[in-house]
Amino acid sequence: MGSSAPGTAGVRAGGFLSRPGVRNPGFWMAAPAWLLILVVGLVPIVTTVFLSTTSEHLARPGQTRFVGLGNFVSQVFNGDFVHAVWITVLIAVGGLLLQVPVGLGLATLLARQFRFDRLVRSALLTPMMLTPVAVGLMWSLLLNPDIGILDQALTALGLPAPNWLADPGLALASVVVVSSWQNIGFVMLMFLAGLANLPRDPIEAAQIDGAGRWQVFRYVTLPMLAPIVIVVVLIRLIDAAKMFDLVLILTGGGPGSATENLNLVVYKTAFQGFAIGQGAALAVALAIVLAPLYVLWRRVTRA
Amino acid sequence: MGPLRSGWRAGALAWLATLALMGCAAAQPTTAPTAAPTSVPATTAPSAAPTSVRASTAPTAASTSTPATTAPATTSAPAPSAAGGRSISVVVVDGPSAEAIKALAPDFTAATGIAVNITQFDYDSAHQKMLLSIQGKAAAYDVIQLDQPFFGAFASGGALAPLDAYVTGSSAYDWSDIPASIQQYGQLDGKTYAVDLSSEPYVVTYRKDLLQRAGVAVPTTWDEYKAAAQKIRALAPDIYGHSTGVKPARNAWFWIQTLWSYGGDLWDSNYNPTVTSDAAKTAAQLQKDLLMFAPASTVTNGGDATADLFGNTDIGLAIQYAGYYSTLTDATKSKNAANIAFAPVPAGSTSATELQGWLIGVPSDSTKKDQGWQFIEWLLGKANVAKLVSAGAPAPGRTSLLQDPSLSQKYTIFPAILAGAQNGRTFPTIPEYPQIQDAIATRLGEILSNQSTVDAGLHAMSDDMTTILKDAGYLK
């Protein structure tokens, strides 16, 4: 055995303790905190995976038995699950198609200073501060076909006044629009920060070379903003895929199952049906469906 | 001293400090009810959000299809300490029954010296919160209000204490004064686990003036009901013939009522689903046809919104739970109060009335079961039950109450309640019923919104029910 540096007695070369981060005293000083987070984070996940293999039911305590992949077979590998995944994808992608262009457009406008720009910015950020439950209640009133102001205005203008939340297509569109209304402020804010930190030289060089405003935006600004766009898209995709309270309040997953996304299915199975084991299986499936998004996000943010 | 040793010492000190803090926290008494130790799925969302609302919930200020509040449970300030510091914890669920209980609780304290701490939940989160607390043996509640569709899950799951000894041994409660069908409302396998807090059969709610204008009599069959709704709808563009909100699970409740009326049922004696029968198809088609005579918001309305609309706009007929009586006949809440009347629910090929209503019981984990029963006995016993009704609650199914001449004159709904109590049917009491109800509501929603035909929707419903019943072991 070779000589060891002072103060490293007992440390095996190449072992866990010899890693630079681990040898840092700060690593161990923070140990209570990260261990607590690990336990609080890991225990529910492990428990959920375990529960997904059992027949746990709140109304049948003491009758739980191991069912292996039985819950997955009955709850996940069927048309209803595929439908819920499809609805989740539609809500997520539909929201992106609305939020990214509009958010980017608003950010571009607000990047310049003009009168009342702070007031406009605050107004656009306000929906973000509301809880999804309050947003859902407010919009369910606005979209009510009998007393809602939207249909009353359309009727007054002589236009058709649809039943927004009773038609499957319109209900889905309503969820997308309401969610976008709430989150466009966040998207705008991210793009505003991105625009503020862009280097001015390439833009000025392009302007000197005679490029028009659209050309500067399309060929210079947008490529430089690409990393921000990717991060925003991923964050919004993950958020939209997890959406629950807004859908529950606005449509309840209806009409029928037209807006029933994955998270709502998990909630209904576990908490309305009391079938905890089946709900856990659906939750594990949801996590697996979202996992690629998280992996992608990690790669993008590391790059 | 090298950096590693000093780091280890600092880390050890941090550990000890954390453990000491955790030890101090564990030593503090907790007052809040704790969730069951049963872990919940990782993506558990906050239990927010009401969707459909059970009958007899308080009407919202605006005629919305969802209750206004999704706030977490509200807990009224603890009642003033009674002599000896005795107290019980009572859970109520949004609605007139809850408001009446809250109003009368101080009288109970004055009479018995037992303080009443009331926790109020919104409908959609109430049952899961209560069940999780009870299964976790939190001993947080001593009396709970629950809805009939969830009774089977609670009773089968051992969440409710048996009450047979209490009900049969109480002269104040007088079990013999309760009709047999109402007694059975809170029974499972012959044992009583809860008693009737309100008796709310489905009834026809109708506008006397609009029926007269359309020249139709009060319908006694579903064919007459549909014909009357059509004639009333034809009176004017802003007059509607029918309005029964069919937001999930209300669509399931209405469909099951008409299914029973046409001689059908959810499953046979071997639990094979029978929801593709002719009776089931007729019931679904009827529900779909009636939407043609209803306001647009009917598809997404719950009970409160239906009551608001009926009371304040021009709608001829509705099928409502009797619990909305006080809302519809209160001139401060219902513009049409003077013209509203009630009749038994129509018959199909047979006569059947869906019997709903709140139940009240004592949780199995309560450490004050005697005091919990004492509250129920005081609230619903012969001496005080009329006060409960005067406080705005829907009437419990007690024969002496419903046949009282002076009260029957004041509360014109009583004959309809008594008729419903005598031939009333309740939902199945198997633990999986909430899941089955959800499947029914989803497939009916698809039928009503034309996402599927009646046949296809009912077949899908049958498949869903088969899966649930197979998983639960009822079907092989």
Side-chain angles (χ1 to χ4, degrees):
Chain A
M1 186 179 302
S3 61
S4 51
T8 59
V11 176
R12 203 168 47 205
F16 174 69
L17 289 178
S18 67
R19 290 189 187 176
V22 174
R23 291 180 63 186
N24 183 343
F27 177 82
W28 295 103
M29 289 172 71
W34 60 250
L35 270 176
L36 190 64
I37 291 172
L38 200 64
V39 167
V40 169
L42 208 57
V43 166
I45 292 173
V46 169
T47 307
T48 299
V49 172
F50 170 71
L51 277 175
S52 69
T53 62
T54 70
S55 62
E56 176 91 17
H57 196 292
L58 279 183
R60 289 186 180 275
Q63 296 180 34
T64 303
R65 64 185 197 286
F66 179 73
V67 296
L69 295 177
N71 288 331
F72 291 90
V73 169
S74 69
Q75 299 298 313
V76 177
F77 302 124
N78 63 41
D80 291 339
F81 181 82
V82 172
H83 172 78
V85 171
W86 178 235
I87 296 299
T88 306
V89 167
L90 284 178
I91 291 174
V93 172
L96 273 180
L97 290 175
L98 197 54
Q99 291 163 40
V100 172
V102 174
L104 185 55
L106 286 171
T108 309
L109 280 170
L110 288 170
R112 296 179 218 131
Q113 287 187 341
F114 57 89
R115 206 168 172 200
F116 302 124
D117 61 349
R118 284 188 183 177
L119 190 64
V120 171
R121 201 177 296 188
S122 301
L124 289 169
L125 290 177
T126 301
M128 213 172 88
M129 295 177 221
L130 301 173
T131 67
V133 168
V135 170
L137 280 175
M138 185 180 74
W139 277 94
S140 65
L141 275 173
L142 287 171
L143 297 174
N144 186 294
D146 292 327
I147 59 165
I149 197 169
L150 183 59
D151 274 2
Q152 288 187 9
L154 289 170
T155 305
L157 292 170
L159 296 168
N163 195 341
W164 299 95
L165 302 179
D167 177 270
L170 288 178
L172 192 59
S174 299
V175 170
V176 170
V177 167
V178 173
S179 166
S180 299
W181 175 85
Q182 187 176 20
N183 292 292
I184 273 176
F186 167 78
V187 173
M188 178 201 73
L189 206 58
M190 294 284 282
F191 285 138
L192 256 180
L195 286 169
N197 286 306
L198 289 182
R200 300 298 308 164
D201 295 343
I203 296 171
E204 286 171 0
Q207 287 168 339
I208 289 168
D209 286 344
R213 281 168 68 176
W214 169 249
Q215 284 171 317
V216 169
F217 180 79
R218 166 80 176 83
Y219 296 108
V220 180
T221 309
L222 211 49
M224 285 197 290
L225 265 184
I228 309 276
V229 173
I230 292 171
V231 169
V232 167
V233 162
L234 283 171
I235 289 175
R236 289 305 314 140
L237 267 179
I238 291 171
D239 265 354
K242 291 188 317 176
M243 193 190 302
F244 162 73
D245 22 20
L246 179 64
V247 176
L248 184 65
I249 294 289
L250 196 60
T251 62
S257 55
T259 57
E260 198 170 74
N261 64 347
L262 266 176
N263 221 354
L264 189 63
V265 172
V266 174
Y267 170 78
K268 281 182 165 184
T269 305
F271 294 105
Q272 288 185 355
F274 303 137
I276 297 294
Q278 292 177 357
L282 287 164
V284 170
L286 173 61
I288 291 171
V289 164
L290 290 181
L293 286 177
Y294 174 73
V295 169
L296 196 58
W297 181 74
R298 288 285 297 164
R299 284 197 179 168
V300 165
T301 50
R302 266 190 197 157
Chain B
M1 180 185 298
L4 190 60
R5 281 205 187 124
S6 67
W8 275 103
R9 191 149 74 176
L13 282 171
W15 267 95
L16 285 170
T18 305
L19 286 171
L21 282 169
M22 286 167 67
C24 289
Q28 294 298 322
T30 54
T31 53
T34 55
T38 307
S39 296
V40 295
T43 55
T44 297
S47 57
T51 51
S52 66
V53 177
R54 249 272 307 129
S56 77
T57 57
T60 55
S63 301
T64 65
S65 57
T66 55
T69 178
T70 56
T74 57
T75 308
S76 56
S81 297
R86 293 186 302 160
S87 67
I88 55 170
S89 179
V90 176
V91 172
V92 295
V93 184
D94 287 347
S97 291
E99 299 309 310
I101 290 173
K102 281 168 22 179
L104 292 177
D107 294 347
F108 173 76
T109 303
T112 62
I114 301 172
V116 180
N117 299 317
I118 292 184
T119 302
Q120 185 165 351
F121 293 134
D122 64 281
Y123 183 84
D124 280 302
S125 65
H127 298 91
Q128 68 211 211
K129 283 179 180 170
M130 289 190 283
L131 194 56
L132 279 168
S133 171
I134 297 168
Q135 300 297 31
K137 308 278 186 267
Y141 311 122
D142 305 301
V143 177
I144 58 169
Q145 175 187 352
L146 66 154
D147 199 9
Q148 200 276 333
F150 295 91
F151 169 71
F154 273 65
S156 300
L160 294 168
L163 298 178
D164 294 278
Y166 290 116
V167 299
T168 54
S170 168
S171 56
Y173 188 76
D174 192 1
W175 191 230
S176 65
D177 193 31
I178 310 294
S181 62
I182 303 294
Q183 290 181 359
Q184 286 160 18
Y185 198 58
Q187 290 180 337
L188 182 70
D189 299 331
K191 276 191 175 171
T192 303
Y193 289 98
V195 297
D196 178 52
L197 174 61
S198 69
S199 209
E200 301 182 43
Y202 258 146
V203 293
V204 172
T205 312
Y206 65 93
R207 283 272 301 274
K208 294 180 282 193
D209 55 328
L210 291 179
L211 259 65
Q212 199 172 22
R213 218 166 119 185
V216 295
V218 178
T220 57
T221 67
W222 285 113
D223 288 341
E224 288 174 9
Y225 186 95
K226 185 176 161 185
Q230 189 171 14
K231 280 193 179 169
I232 296 168
R233 181 71 182 108
L235 286 174
D238 58 347
I239 297 179
Y240 295 92
H242 161 79
S243 170
T244 294
V246 289
K247 182 177 180 176
R250 197 161 285 278
N251 56 359
W253 301 338
F254 186 36
W255 175 75
I256 291 172
Q257 162 66 74
T258 47
L259 171 71
W260 287 341
S261 294
Y262 284 109
D265 212 335
L266 294 175
W267 49 70
D268 61 20
S269 54
N270 294 317
Y271 290 99
N272 295 300
T274 53
V275 295
T276 53
S277 63
D278 289 341
K281 289 176 193 169
T282 306
Q285 191 61 52
L286 172 69
Q287 194 172 33
K288 202 168 166 174
D289 292 344
L290 287 174
L291 286 179
M292 290 190 296
F293 316 124
S297 60
T298 297
V299 181
T300 51
N301 276 352
D304 288 354
T306 300
D308 281 345
L309 267 186
F310 195 84
N312 296 291
T313 62
D314 289 323
I315 301 172
L317 296 160
I319 303 294
Q320 282 276 43
Y321 290 109
Y324 282 106
Y325 173 83
S326 59
T327 305
L328 292 168
T329 54
D330 183 344
T332 62
K333 295 173 188 166
S334 166
K335 200 178 67 175
N336 304 316
N339 280 313
I340 290 176
F342 304 86
V345 75
S349 56
T350 184
S351 178
T353 303
E354 186 176 294
L355 188 58
Q356 284 256 36
W358 295 103
L359 289 155
I360 191 166
V362 176
S364 56
D365 66 335
S366 166
T367 55
K368 302 175 193 171
K369 291 186 179 66
D370 290 347
Q371 290 170 316
W373 167 250
Q374 198 176 348
F375 178 77
I376 296 172
E377 182 188 49
W378 179 90
L379 188 73
L380 296 169
K382 287 173 95 162
N384 291 319
V385 70
K387 271 203 268 182
L388 184 69
V389 177
S390 299
R398 180 177 283 283
T399 307
S400 58
L401 173 77
L402 298 173
Q403 288 182 339
D404 184 302
S406 59
L407 291 175
S408 296
Q409 209 169 10
K410 186 179 175 190
Y411 300 104
T412 54
I413 192 76
F414 277 13
I417 293 176
L418 199 55
Q422 282 159 356
N423 69 347
R425 285 184 68 170
T426 57
F427 296 136
T429 50
I430 63 171
E432 291 75 17
Y433 181 72
Q435 239 180 319
I436 287 173
Q437 181 177 276
D438 189 57
I440 294 172
T442 302
R443 297 305 180 190
L444 276 174
E446 289 172 358
I447 292 170
L448 297 177
S449 59
N450 297 315
Q451 292 175 71
S452 70
T453 60
V454 168
D455 270 351
L458 291 177
H459 273 98
M461 185 192 296
S462 181
D463 291 341
D464 291 343
M465 289 171 63
T466 301
T467 301
I468 294 167
L469 291 168
K470 261 191 187 161
D471 285 346
Y474 295 97
L475 283 175
K476 298 296 171 221

